[in-house]
Amino acid sequence: MIKKFLGNVFSGRIFGSGRPKVVPFKVHGVSRDGISPCALQVTETLQRRHHAAFVVGGAVRDLMLGRKPKDFDVATDATPEEVRALFRRSRIIGRRFRLVHVMCGRDTVEVSTYRGGHAEDDDEARVADEHGRILRDNVYGTQQQDATRRDFTVNALFYDPVSQEIWDYHGGVADLRKRRLRMIGDPVQRYREDPVRMLRAVRLAASHDLEIDAASRRPIRVLADLLANVPPARLFDEMLKLLLSGRAAECVTKLRREGLHHGLLPLLDVILEQPRGERFVMLALRTTDERIRDDKPVSPSFLFAALLWHEVLAAWQQIEGEGVPRIPALYSAMDRVMQVQGEKLAIPRRFGADMREIWGLQPRLLQRSGTRPYRLLEHPRFRAAYDFLLLRCQSGEADKEIGAWWSRFQDAGEVERREMLVRDGEPRKRRRRRRRKDEGGTMKAEG
Ligand code: ATP
Ligand code: MG
């Protein structure tokens, strides 16, 4: 009973300056049928033990918009240890802020304890090593504090699957109705605290057809440079979310409109201003968006390879112009582009290797004589390189005929394949000598 009382106090039902507006089912219309069985089980179990437990964040927003949530997060007043003790298949994760992952079958629900405002407010809960690096800053808080530390009003809704009520501290239900994305608190201060919120604003607005409200939108242009201070790995994660949102084309267009594209991918602005570069990037994004909407897998390396391709092309041309043979020039160009890129937005090594392969195979796709096309077909990255070539053809950068040739060659029988091989009229000896000179780069001869 005491626990229930305390739970109620902490969840803001009894005390607390800001009381939530409790919106009943008949007003919001979000039925518990939309909640995953795992999230239902987690919230019900916690509530049976007299804890407050709500589905929170993006899932509630998406359900209210009639979309299928990607995943379900649960917020509770139970501590991670208490949650852990209630679910056999669960584990505590995270060092700085500890969460519990509860597994049901193949499903996982992330359960977080209500978080308070700023870690600085409570030294007790902070543990740092001797260098001052924070190891743990579990600052628990009330439900109201948990709502207030979230970014946008539409992301701060708490849904109780048992009562089917939505608890709304910041007017998120009304904002969703108006399709308005509004920052909780003072937008300038909130962007300063975490500049990634500017990217989140653009992503959520573009991917959910929301309008960023004027006061939340205005500071973005002014504060855009703050993104330079965000660790490159975090920027990469956020860019990846944006690019895999299923609305990447809109997101990138909007990034540019809000003046946020500088510094994310170096010279993304320049690329987008070259007619061909823009066409290529937009084609790649639209193709990715379609694949995501059709539930087909997409590869981040392919996407980043596409975004940076015109950078590679420019560097390649320049290095070749300095007298470096064609293929080594391509490899130097890749190194240069990846290095410049890494300073802004760290592309993980595993993607970097794939990107280089996709780029590196492009000149090889131009070689269509002898046994080389057969060997290329066997290459583990052939499919990605071929898809990449098709995009180049579509954007007008590569000869359409080469893409069509590969499309036919893959499906052709042996006799047809042999007939398709490109024979150039040059005597063998001369060809071989020239090829040795430029280390296999027969792009010009056969392309
Ligand atoms: P998505 O559908 O892309 O997952 P989401 O809103 O669920 O969107 P998450 O990154 O999963 O995004 O975050 C879950 C919740 O955590 C958000 O809804 C928001 O309430 C809160 N949140 C996430 N990032 C921030 C941030 N940078 N600042 C404040 N709150 C945040
Ligand atoms: Mg989410």
Side-chain angles (χ1 to χ4, degrees), residues 207-336:
S207 62
H208 289 69
D209 299 312
L210 302 170
E211 182 97 34
I212 309 176
D213 98 309
S216 308
R217 183 177 171 193
R218 218 175 295 121
I220 294 182
R221 191 168 286 282
V222 186
L223 300 176
D225 289 347
L226 292 179
L227 280 173
N229 305 329
V230 175
R234 176 130 190 260
L235 269 190
F236 177 82
D237 287 347
E238 204 45 46
M239 268 306 271
L240 200 55
K241 275 193 173 186
L242 188 145
L243 294 171
L244 301 181
S245 69
R247 298 292 281 275
E250 284 89 342
C251 284
V252 168
T253 308
K254 209 170 170 64
L255 276 183
R256 180 152 65 156
R257 203 179 310 139
E258 303 302 334
L260 280 180
H261 55 301
H262 302 276
L264 285 179
L265 290 157
L267 307 176
L268 185 59
D269 42 349
V270 177
I271 298 168
L272 290 171
E273 271 141 34
Q274 302 164 355
R276 268 204 183 146
E278 160 146 27
R279 222 169 135 211
F280 183 73
V281 166
M282 282 299 163
L283 256 174
L285 295 177
R286 289 212 184 89
T287 313
T288 307
D289 287 346
E290 268 167 39
R291 289 185 67 88
I292 289 175
R293 273 179 246 162
D294 296 344
D295 264 339
K296 289 188 190 154
V298 295
S299 119
S301 359
F302 184 89
L303 201 53
F304 279 99
L307 290 176
L308 293 173
W309 174 240
H310 278 254
E311 284 301 291
V312 173
L313 278 182
W316 187 8
Q317 212 168 19
Q318 192 203 334
I319 297 169
E320 216 189 345
E322 289 160 8
V324 180
R326 188 152 182 82
I327 299 303
L330 171 59
Y331 281 84
S332 308
M334 295 184 204
D335 288 343
R336 189 190 286 180

Side-chain angles (χ1 to χ4, degrees), residues 58 61 70 149-151 155 194 197 200 203 241:
R61 173 199 68 216
K70 280 203 308 263
R149 63 130 189 127
R150 292 175 186 274
D151 45 9
N155 283 347
D194 180 7
R197 290 172 184 150
R200 287 178 56 85
R203 168 167 67 89
K241 275 193 173 186

Side-chain angles (χ1 to χ4, degrees), residues 69-287:
K70 280 203 308 263
D71 43 38
F72 289 86
D73 297 325
V74 167
T76 179
D77 60 1
T79 63
E81 290 73 19
E82 287 173 316
V83 177
R84 169 74 191 88
L86 284 176
F87 302 95
R88 200 171 48 83
R89 291 189 60 214
S90 66
R91 58 160 192 260
I92 295 180
I93 59 149
R95 268 202 305 185
R96 285 204 54 200
F97 196 85
R98 290 148 74 236
L99 310 163
V100 186
H101 274 176
V102 179
M103 279 81 70
C104 334
R106 295 162 122 213
D107 220 3
T108 300
V109 166
E110 198 169 282
V111 184
S112 55
T113 305
Y114 293 150
R115 279 164 79 167
H118 297 281
E120 293 74 21
D121 298 346
D122 185 352
D123 281 344
E124 286 277 287
R126 287 184 92 195
V127 182
D129 67 9
E130 71 270 29
H131 309 293
R133 188 169 64 97
I134 294 172
L135 301 174
R136 212 166 69 213
D137 63 350
N138 281 325
V139 184
Y140 301 133
T142 62
Q143 187 185 43
Q144 190 218 334
Q145 288 173 322
D146 189 83
T148 305
R149 63 130 189 127
R150 292 175 186 274
D151 45 9
F152 302 100
T153 63
V154 299
N155 283 347
L157 298 172
F158 293 79
Y159 178 76
D160 179 344
V162 176
S163 66
Q164 300 194 105
E165 290 166 350
I166 289 179
W167 291 27
D168 179 4
Y169 290 85
H170 296 284
V173 170
D175 282 342
L176 269 180
R177 288 241 165 81
K178 293 185 190 148
R179 300 201 84 98
R180 183 167 67 180
L181 192 65
R182 189 162 56 91
M183 181 62 83
I184 295 169
D186 171 29
V188 172
Q189 187 192 334
R190 302 298 313 277
Y191 292 137
R192 282 191 185 281
E193 280 171 8
D194 180 7
V196 163
R197 290 172 184 150
M198 296 189 274
L199 290 179
R200 287 178 56 85
V202 168
R203 168 167 67 89
L204 286 173
S207 62
H208 289 69
D209 299 312
L210 302 170
E211 182 97 34
I212 309 176
D213 98 309
S216 308
R217 183 177 171 193
R218 218 175 295 121
I220 294 182
R221 191 168 286 282
V222 186
L223 300 176
D225 289 347
L226 292 179
L227 280 173
N229 305 329
V230 175
R234 176 130 190 260
L235 269 190
F236 177 82
D237 287 347
E238 204 45 46
M239 268 306 271
L240 200 55
K241 275 193 173 186
L242 188 145
L243 294 171
L244 301 181
S245 69
R247 298 292 281 275
E250 284 89 342
C251 284
V252 168
T253 308
K254 209 170 170 64
L255 276 183
R256 180 152 65 156
R257 203 179 310 139
E258 303 302 334
L260 280 180
H261 55 301
H262 302 276
L264 285 179
L265 290 157
L267 307 176
L268 185 59
D269 42 349
V270 177
I271 298 168
L272 290 171
E273 271 141 34
Q274 302 164 355
R276 268 204 183 146
E278 160 146 27
R279 222 169 135 211
F280 183 73
V281 166
M282 282 299 163
L283 256 174
L285 295 177
R286 289 212 184 89
T287 313

